[in-house]
Amino acid sequence: MDLTGVLRGAAARLQFAPESRWEECVALSRGEPADAVLKWFDGFHDENIGAELFYEAEAEERRFSAFIGFRCNFAKRRAFVEAAARGFAAGKFVRAENFIAAAEREFRAPLFTGWPDFMELGLVNMWKSFGALSFAPLPEEPYAVFFATVSASPRWCGALPAPPALELAFSSPVPHWLGVDFSSRAADGWTLDMKRAEAFFEKLRP
C-alpha cells in the first residue's frame, strides 16, 4: 500500500498523550510557546507517550485533514519528544514530511512501509471513551468491509460528539499510524462522511 501521496501537507497542531489516552492530551498549536507542554512532560508518570501531528494533506490536488502519530517509551525518548515540542514551537516541522523524517532518524527505521496491521474508526481525542470499530487484520477490500460494518452500527450513523477519523496502524519499528478525518460538520456535532471515506480508499487502490 503506497501512502506517499497522503503523508504530505502543512502542519497545524502537535499533541501528546499518556499511553493512548488522547482524552488527556496536551496540544500545541502553530505559533504557541512550548512552556505548558514542557511542564506537562515534567509531571509525566506513564511508561509510554503518544505524539500526533495534525496537518492538511495534499493528494492529487485534493485537500483533507489528517494526522500522523507514534507511541514510544517516554524515559528513553524524552529528549526527542521535548525537541519535537520545542522545534514545533520555534517553527520547525512545518510539514508532515519533516516530522516523519525526524521520527525515522530517531527510530533508525522507515515508517509507513508495507501493509498496515489493522485499521480503526474512532473519534478524535475520544478514541477510548467513545469506543472504536477495529478491523484486524486489514481486509483485502477495505472500503467494502468498512461500509458494511458502519452500516450495521447505528451509533456511527447519527450525530457524533467529535470528528470521526480512520486510522491505518503499523506496529514496527514502533506503533505508528496515519489518521484521516472522515467528518462533516452538523448542527449538533459531526457526522461520518462516507463519500470522503470512499474517496480515500479509492486513492489507496493499487
Side-chain angles (χ1 to χ4, degrees), residues 94-132:
V94 294
R95 296 183 61 81
E97 306 96 289
N98 308 139
F99 190 69
I100 293 171
E104 290 179 335
R105 288 193 297 270
E106 174 68 18
F107 302 124
R108 299 181 181 181
L111 304 181
F112 303 105
T113 60
W115 192 252
D117 294 288
F118 63 94
M119 67 182 186
E120 286 189 341
L121 175 68
L123 299 186
V124 173
N125 290 345
M126 293 184 64
W127 217 264
K128 285 187 173 295
S129 54
F130 187 81

Short mmCIF file of all heavy atoms in Angstrom, two decimals, residues 94-132:
data_model
loop_
_atom_site.label_atom_id
_atom_site.label_comp_id
_atom_site.label_asym_id
_atom_site.label_seq_id
_atom_site.Cartn_x
_atom_site.Cartn_y
_atom_site.Cartn_z
N VAL A 94 7.21 22.24 9.70
CA VAL A 94 6.13 22.98 9.05
C VAL A 94 5.29 22.06 8.16
O VAL A 94 4.17 22.41 7.79
CB VAL A 94 6.67 24.17 8.22
CG1 VAL A 94 7.30 25.19 9.14
CG2 VAL A 94 7.67 23.70 7.17
N ARG A 95 5.83 20.90 7.85
CA ARG A 95 5.10 19.94 7.04
C ARG A 95 5.19 18.55 7.65
O ARG A 95 6.12 18.25 8.41
CB ARG A 95 5.64 19.93 5.60
CG ARG A 95 5.44 21.26 4.86
CD ARG A 95 5.93 21.17 3.44
NE ARG A 95 5.21 20.17 2.68
CZ ARG A 95 4.01 20.35 2.12
NH1 ARG A 95 3.39 21.51 2.25
NH2 ARG A 95 3.43 19.38 1.44
N ALA A 96 4.23 17.72 7.33
CA ALA A 96 4.21 16.36 7.86
C ALA A 96 5.46 15.59 7.48
O ALA A 96 5.98 14.80 8.28
CB ALA A 96 2.97 15.62 7.35
N GLU A 97 5.98 15.83 6.28
CA GLU A 97 7.18 15.12 5.84
C GLU A 97 8.36 15.37 6.77
O GLU A 97 9.18 14.48 7.01
CB GLU A 97 7.59 15.56 4.42
CG GLU A 97 6.49 15.45 3.38
CD GLU A 97 5.77 16.76 3.18
OE1 GLU A 97 5.03 17.15 4.10
OE2 GLU A 97 5.95 17.40 2.11
N ASN A 98 8.48 16.61 7.28
CA ASN A 98 9.59 16.95 8.18
C ASN A 98 9.49 16.15 9.48
O ASN A 98 10.49 15.67 10.01
CB ASN A 98 9.57 18.44 8.53
CG ASN A 98 9.51 19.36 7.31
OD1 ASN A 98 8.82 20.35 7.31
ND2 ASN A 98 10.26 19.02 6.26
N PHE A 99 8.27 16.02 9.99
CA PHE A 99 8.06 15.30 11.23
C PHE A 99 8.35 13.81 11.06
O PHE A 99 8.99 13.18 11.91
CB PHE A 99 6.62 15.51 11.70
CG PHE A 99 6.33 15.01 13.08
CD1 PHE A 99 6.88 15.63 14.19
CD2 PHE A 99 5.48 13.92 13.28
CE1 PHE A 99 6.61 15.17 15.47
CE2 PHE A 99 5.21 13.46 14.55
CZ PHE A 99 5.77 14.09 15.65
N ILE A 100 7.91 13.24 9.95
CA ILE A 100 8.16 11.82 9.68
C ILE A 100 9.67 11.58 9.55
O ILE A 100 10.20 10.61 10.10
CB ILE A 100 7.43 11.38 8.40
CG1 ILE A 100 5.92 11.41 8.62
CG2 ILE A 100 7.88 9.97 7.98
CD1 ILE A 100 5.11 11.19 7.35
N ALA A 101 10.37 12.46 8.85
CA ALA A 101 11.82 12.30 8.68
C ALA A 101 12.54 12.34 10.03
O ALA A 101 13.46 11.54 10.27
CB ALA A 101 12.36 13.39 7.75
N ALA A 102 12.12 13.23 10.93
CA ALA A 102 12.73 13.31 12.25
C ALA A 102 12.48 12.04 13.04
O ALA A 102 13.38 11.52 13.72
CB ALA A 102 12.20 14.52 13.00
N ALA A 103 11.27 11.51 12.96
CA ALA A 103 10.95 10.27 13.67
C ALA A 103 11.74 9.09 13.10
O ALA A 103 12.23 8.23 13.85
CB ALA A 103 9.45 10.00 13.60
N GLU A 104 11.90 9.05 11.80
CA GLU A 104 12.66 7.96 11.19
C GLU A 104 14.13 8.01 11.61
O GLU A 104 14.76 6.97 11.81
CB GLU A 104 12.51 8.02 9.67
CG GLU A 104 11.11 7.63 9.20
CD GLU A 104 10.94 7.71 7.70
OE1 GLU A 104 11.69 8.49 7.06
OE2 GLU A 104 10.07 7.02 7.16
N ARG A 105 14.67 9.21 11.75
CA ARG A 105 16.05 9.32 12.23
C ARG A 105 16.15 8.84 13.69
O ARG A 105 17.10 8.15 14.06
CB ARG A 105 16.53 10.76 12.12
CG ARG A 105 16.80 11.22 10.70
CD ARG A 105 17.56 12.53 10.66
NE ARG A 105 16.79 13.63 11.25
CZ ARG A 105 15.96 14.41 10.57
NH1 ARG A 105 15.78 14.21 9.26
NH2 ARG A 105 15.33 15.39 11.18
N GLU A 106 15.16 9.21 14.49
CA GLU A 106 15.17 8.82 15.90
C GLU A 106 15.06 7.31 16.07
O GLU A 106 15.78 6.70 16.86
CB GLU A 106 14.02 9.52 16.64
CG GLU A 106 13.84 9.10 18.08
CD GLU A 106 14.98 9.55 19.00
OE1 GLU A 106 15.76 10.45 18.61
OE2 GLU A 106 15.09 8.99 20.11
N PHE A 107 14.15 6.69 15.32
CA PHE A 107 13.91 5.25 15.47
C PHE A 107 14.78 4.41 14.53
O PHE A 107 14.71 3.18 14.56
CB PHE A 107 12.43 4.94 15.24
CG PHE A 107 11.51 5.68 16.18
CD1 PHE A 107 10.49 6.48 15.70
CD2 PHE A 107 11.68 5.58 17.55
CE1 PHE A 107 9.65 7.17 16.57
CE2 PHE A 107 10.85 6.26 18.43
CZ PHE A 107 9.83 7.06 17.94
N ARG A 108 15.56 5.07 13.70
CA ARG A 108 16.51 4.41 12.80
C ARG A 108 15.86 3.36 11.91
O ARG A 108 16.40 2.28 11.69
CB ARG A 108 17.65 3.78 13.62
CG ARG A 108 18.44 4.80 14.43
CD ARG A 108 19.56 4.16 15.19
NE ARG A 108 20.31 5.15 15.98
CZ ARG A 108 21.36 4.86 16.72
NH1 ARG A 108 21.80 3.61 16.80
NH2 ARG A 108 21.96 5.82 17.41
N ALA A 109 14.69 3.71 11.42
CA ALA A 109 13.96 2.80 10.53
C ALA A 109 12.87 3.60 9.81
O ALA A 109 12.37 4.59 10.36
CB ALA A 109 13.35 1.65 11.32
N PRO A 110 12.49 3.17 8.62
CA PRO A 110 11.41 3.86 7.91
C PRO A 110 10.05 3.60 8.56
O PRO A 110 9.84 2.55 9.18
CB PRO A 110 11.48 3.27 6.50
CG PRO A 110 12.09 1.92 6.70
CD PRO A 110 13.07 2.07 7.83
N LEU A 111 9.15 4.55 8.42
CA LEU A 111 7.78 4.41 8.90
C LEU A 111 6.84 4.26 7.70
O LEU A 111 7.18 4.60 6.57
CB LEU A 111 7.37 5.64 9.72
CG LEU A 111 8.24 6.01 10.92
CD1 LEU A 111 7.65 7.23 11.63
CD2 LEU A 111 8.37 4.85 11.90
N PHE A 112 5.65 3.74 7.97
CA PHE A 112 4.58 3.63 6.97
C PHE A 112 5.00 2.82 5.75
O PHE A 112 4.75 3.20 4.61
CB PHE A 112 4.10 5.03 6.54
CG PHE A 112 3.62 5.88 7.68
CD1 PHE A 112 4.39 6.92 8.16
CD2 PHE A 112 2.40 5.62 8.28
CE1 PHE A 112 3.95 7.71 9.22
CE2 PHE A 112 1.95 6.39 9.35
CZ PHE A 112 2.73 7.43 9.82
N THR A 113 5.64 1.69 5.99
CA THR A 113 6.04 0.81 4.89
C THR A 113 5.23 -0.48 4.96
O THR A 113 4.84 -0.93 6.04
CB THR A 113 7.53 0.48 4.95
OG1 THR A 113 7.83 -0.18 6.19
CG2 THR A 113 8.37 1.74 4.83
N GLY A 114 4.99 -1.07 3.81
CA GLY A 114 4.25 -2.33 3.77
C GLY A 114 2.75 -2.14 3.98
O GLY A 114 2.20 -1.06 3.82
N TRP A 115 2.10 -3.23 4.36
CA TRP A 115 0.65 -3.27 4.54
C TRP A 115 0.33 -2.99 6.00
O TRP A 115 0.94 -3.59 6.89
CB TRP A 115 0.16 -4.66 4.15
CG TRP A 115 -1.33 -4.82 4.00
CD1 TRP A 115 -2.16 -5.49 4.86
CD2 TRP A 115 -2.16 -4.34 2.94
NE1 TRP A 115 -3.45 -5.46 4.40
CE2 TRP A 115 -3.48 -4.76 3.22
CE3 TRP A 115 -1.92 -3.59 1.79
CZ2 TRP A 115 -4.56 -4.45 2.39
CZ3 TRP A 115 -2.99 -3.29 0.97
CH2 TRP A 115 -4.28 -3.72 1.27
N PRO A 116 -0.60 -2.08 6.30
CA PRO A 116 -0.94 -1.81 7.71
C PRO A 116 -1.40 -3.08 8.43
O PRO A 116 -2.00 -3.97 7.83
CB PRO A 116 -2.08 -0.79 7.61
CG PRO A 116 -1.90 -0.17 6.26
CD PRO A 116 -1.36 -1.24 5.37
N ASP A 117 -1.12 -3.13 9.73
CA ASP A 117 -1.53 -4.30 10.52
C ASP A 117 -3.04 -4.32 10.76
O ASP A 117 -3.64 -5.39 10.82
CB ASP A 117 -0.79 -4.29 11.86
CG ASP A 117 0.70 -4.49 11.67
OD1 ASP A 117 1.10 -5.62 11.34
OD2 ASP A 117 1.46 -3.52 11.83
N PHE A 118 -3.63 -3.15 10.92
CA PHE A 118 -5.08 -3.08 11.12
C PHE A 118 -5.53 -1.64 10.91
O PHE A 118 -4.70 -0.73 10.73
CB PHE A 118 -5.47 -3.55 12.52
CG PHE A 118 -4.93 -2.74 13.66
CD1 PHE A 118 -5.66 -1.70 14.21
CD2 PHE A 118 -3.67 -3.00 14.18
CE1 PHE A 118 -5.16 -0.95 15.27
CE2 PHE A 118 -3.16 -2.25 15.23
CZ PHE A 118 -3.91 -1.22 15.78
N MET A 119 -6.84 -1.44 10.91
CA MET A 119 -7.37 -0.08 10.86
C MET A 119 -8.49 0.03 11.89
O MET A 119 -9.09 -0.96 12.30
CB MET A 119 -7.88 0.27 9.45
CG MET A 119 -9.09 -0.48 8.96
SD MET A 119 -9.52 0.03 7.26
CE MET A 119 -11.08 -0.87 7.03
N GLU A 120 -8.72 1.28 12.32
CA GLU A 120 -9.77 1.55 13.29
C GLU A 120 -10.50 2.82 12.93
O GLU A 120 -9.89 3.78 12.44
CB GLU A 120 -9.19 1.71 14.71
CG GLU A 120 -8.75 0.43 15.35
CD GLU A 120 -8.39 0.61 16.81
OE1 GLU A 120 -8.13 1.77 17.24
OE2 GLU A 120 -8.36 -0.40 17.53
N LEU A 121 -11.79 2.84 13.20
CA LEU A 121 -12.60 4.05 13.10
C LEU A 121 -12.88 4.53 14.52
O LEU A 121 -13.37 3.76 15.35
CB LEU A 121 -13.92 3.76 12.38
CG LEU A 121 -14.91 4.93 12.32
CD1 LEU A 121 -14.38 6.05 11.43
CD2 LEU A 121 -16.28 4.45 11.82
N GLY A 122 -12.54 5.78 14.79
CA GLY A 122 -12.78 6.32 16.12
C GLY A 122 -13.06 7.81 16.05
O GLY A 122 -13.16 8.39 14.96
N LEU A 123 -13.18 8.44 17.21
CA LEU A 123 -13.39 9.89 17.28
C LEU A 123 -12.11 10.55 17.78
O LEU A 123 -11.49 10.07 18.73
CB LEU A 123 -14.54 10.22 18.24
CG LEU A 123 -15.92 9.67 17.89
CD1 LEU A 123 -16.97 10.23 18.86
CD2 LEU A 123 -16.32 10.01 16.45
N VAL A 124 -11.73 11.63 17.14
CA VAL A 124 -10.50 12.34 17.51
C VAL A 124 -10.54 12.75 18.97
O VAL A 124 -11.49 13.39 19.44
CB VAL A 124 -10.31 13.58 16.61
CG1 VAL A 124 -9.13 14.43 17.09
CG2 VAL A 124 -10.10 13.16 15.16
N ASN A 125 -9.53 12.32 19.71
CA ASN A 125 -9.35 12.60 21.14
C ASN A 125 -10.46 12.03 22.01
O ASN A 125 -10.58 12.39 23.19
CB ASN A 125 -9.18 14.09 21.40
CG ASN A 125 -7.85 14.61 20.89
OD1 ASN A 125 -6.94 13.83 20.60
ND2 ASN A 125 -7.72 15.91 20.78
N MET A 126 -11.26 11.11 21.44
CA MET A 126 -12.26 10.37 22.22
C MET A 126 -12.20 8.89 21.85
O MET A 126 -13.20 8.18 21.94
CB MET A 126 -13.67 10.92 21.97
CG MET A 126 -13.90 12.34 22.47
SD MET A 126 -15.62 12.88 22.25
CE MET A 126 -16.50 11.74 23.33
N TRP A 127 -11.02 8.45 21.43
CA TRP A 127 -10.88 7.11 20.87
C TRP A 127 -11.31 6.02 21.85
O TRP A 127 -12.04 5.10 21.50
CB TRP A 127 -9.43 6.88 20.45
CG TRP A 127 -9.30 6.08 19.18
CD1 TRP A 127 -9.08 4.74 19.08
CD2 TRP A 127 -9.37 6.58 17.84
NE1 TRP A 127 -9.01 4.37 17.76
CE2 TRP A 127 -9.19 5.48 16.98
CE3 TRP A 127 -9.58 7.83 17.29
CZ2 TRP A 127 -9.20 5.62 15.59
CZ3 TRP A 127 -9.57 7.97 15.92
CH2 TRP A 127 -9.39 6.87 15.08
N LYS A 128 -10.87 6.15 23.09
CA LYS A 128 -11.20 5.13 24.09
C LYS A 128 -12.57 5.37 24.71
O LYS A 128 -13.34 4.43 24.91
CB LYS A 128 -10.13 5.09 25.19
CG LYS A 128 -8.83 4.42 24.75
CD LYS A 128 -7.90 4.26 25.93
CE LYS A 128 -6.67 3.44 25.54
NZ LYS A 128 -7.01 2.05 25.20
N SER A 129 -12.89 6.61 25.03
CA SER A 129 -14.14 6.89 25.75
C SER A 129 -15.37 6.63 24.88
O SER A 129 -16.40 6.16 25.39
CB SER A 129 -14.15 8.33 26.27
OG SER A 129 -13.91 9.25 25.21
N PHE A 130 -15.30 6.90 23.59
CA PHE A 130 -16.43 6.62 22.71
C PHE A 130 -16.41 5.18 22.23
O PHE A 130 -17.44 4.57 22.03
CB PHE A 130 -16.43 7.57 21.51
CG PHE A 130 -17.65 7.46 20.63
CD1 PHE A 130 -18.83 8.09 20.99
CD2 PHE A 130 -17.61 6.73 19.47
CE1 PHE A 130 -19.96 7.99 20.19
CE2 PHE A 130 -18.74 6.61 18.66
CZ PHE A 130 -19.92 7.25 19.02
N GLY A 131 -15.22 4.64 22.05
CA GLY A 131 -15.08 3.28 21.52
C GLY A 131 -14.84 3.30 20.03
O GLY A 131 -15.40 4.13 19.31
N ALA A 132 -13.99 2.41 19.58
CA ALA A 132 -13.62 2.37 18.17
C ALA A 132 -14.09 1.08 17.51
O ALA A 132 -14.28 0.06 18.17
CB ALA A 132 -12.11 2.49 18.03
#
